Amino acid sequence: QVRPVESGGGSVQAGGSLRLSCEVSGHTCMGWFRQPPGKMREPVADIDRDGKTTYADSVKGRFTVSQGNDKNTLYLQMNSLAPEDTAKYYCAVVPPPYACYSLSPYAIRGEGTQVTVGS
């Protein structure tokens, strides 16, 4: 299985925005999770095989997950960033027939991209 490849991380000040991208060719179940420093992994946003999106409560209203028109790229638009959003962000895809969420034990994740938000 080909691993997803993330891009777009960086450092911003609180209130700023970043957009993460991920190459997900051939997959229809995908999402983002993150791992803050010294903490457990936590889900961020998922898109299921019907195109339905779900978000963690901590990012609702601020982050938007979407696919490119060609369905080969997954995006995570992050607005109103706060210091607590600082984490390494990972893109993950889940092949069928497994349940569709980014923290699935069957998920194939990328290497991650660092997002750092200053106060």
Side-chain angles (χ1 to χ4, degrees):
Q1 294 277 6
V2 177
R3 286 187 178 277
V5 179
E6 305 96 339
S7 61
S11 297
V12 294
Q13 292 299 306
S17 298
L18 282 173
R19 189 174 82 156
L20 306 183
S21 301
C22 179
E23 297 301 318
V24 293
S25 298
H27 290 277
T28 56
C29 170
M30 59 201 78
W32 296 91
F33 68 90
R34 66 187 182 186
Q35 188 162 20
K39 296 185 178 180
M40 302 286 287
R41 293 177 179 180
E42 55 189 45
V44 175
D46 292 314
I47 296 180
D48 71 12
R49 295 184 180 93
D50 295 322
K52 179 182 175 184
T53 57
T54 57
Y55 295 91
D57 288 343
S58 59
V59 307
K60 279 181 182 176
R62 300 188 299 124
F63 291 11
T64 303
V65 63
S66 63
Q67 291 177 269
N69 290 335
D70 61 4
K71 306 295 185 185
N72 290 330
T73 307
L74 181 69
Y75 299 103
L76 184 68
Q77 178 67 42
M78 305 185 293
N79 299 328
S80 301
L81 283 161
E84 52 266 36
D85 295 315
T86 294
K88 195 163 188 180
Y89 284 71
Y90 296 85
C91 173
V93 296
V94 183
Y98 304 110
C100 189
Y101 62 102
S102 55
L103 287 177
S104 164
Y106 304 103
I108 304 164
R109 64 169 176 84
E111 296 294 323
T113 185
Q114 180 66 37
V115 171
T116 302
V117 184
S119 56

